[in-house]
Amino acid sequence: NYSLIIYRVQEYLEHEEEIERRNQEANDAWQEYQKTGEFVSNQDMIAWLDTWGTNREKPCPKITKQH
């Protein structure tokens, strides 16, 4: 069916565009880190996210600067 082919091609292209967008976003974040040295540790981020949706939600973790 012709319409199914068109649908699948559009679906594929949207998927590829999303991958490209995510890759660009990761690239931008990496360049920003290289420029500023600022980051949030994985441990701090996980500890914060684990409190989401609870009555003990913590504030956003502090940004650390790489020396």
Side-chain angles (χ1 to χ4, degrees), residues 6 10-12 16 21 31 39 51 54 56 65:
I6 290 175
Q10 287 174 333
E11 190 175 64
Y12 171 79
E16 290 299 309
R21 187 193 64 74
Q31 288 177 2
F39 69 99
T51 67
T54 71
R56 56 181 178 75
K65 186 148 180 119

Side-chain angles (χ1 to χ4, degrees), residues 10 12-23:
Q10 287 174 333
Y12 171 79
L13 291 174
E14 288 170 6
H15 177 74
E16 290 299 309
E17 288 171 355
E18 179 64 17
I19 290 171
E20 180 60 30
R21 187 193 64 74
R22 288 181 185 180
N23 286 343

Side-chain angles (χ1 to χ4, degrees), residues 49-65:
L49 291 174
D50 282 346
T51 67
W52 279 22
T54 71
N55 60 357
R56 56 181 178 75
E57 188 170 317
K58 295 180 181 178
C60 183
K62 301 248 187 273
I63 294 175
T64 303
K65 186 148 180 119

Side-chain angles (χ1 to χ4, degrees), residues 19-59:
I19 290 171
E20 180 60 30
R21 187 193 64 74
R22 288 181 185 180
N23 286 343
Q24 186 59 53
E25 188 176 284
N27 247 359
D28 293 346
W30 176 244
Q31 288 177 2
E32 183 69 17
Y33 168 74
Q34 288 180 314
K35 187 171 93 178
T36 66
E38 295 177 340
F39 69 99
V40 174
S41 76
N42 188 53
Q43 181 179 355
D44 290 348
M45 184 60 73
I46 289 172
W48 176 53
L49 291 174
D50 282 346
T51 67
W52 279 22
T54 71
N55 60 357
R56 56 181 178 75
E57 188 170 317
K58 295 180 181 178

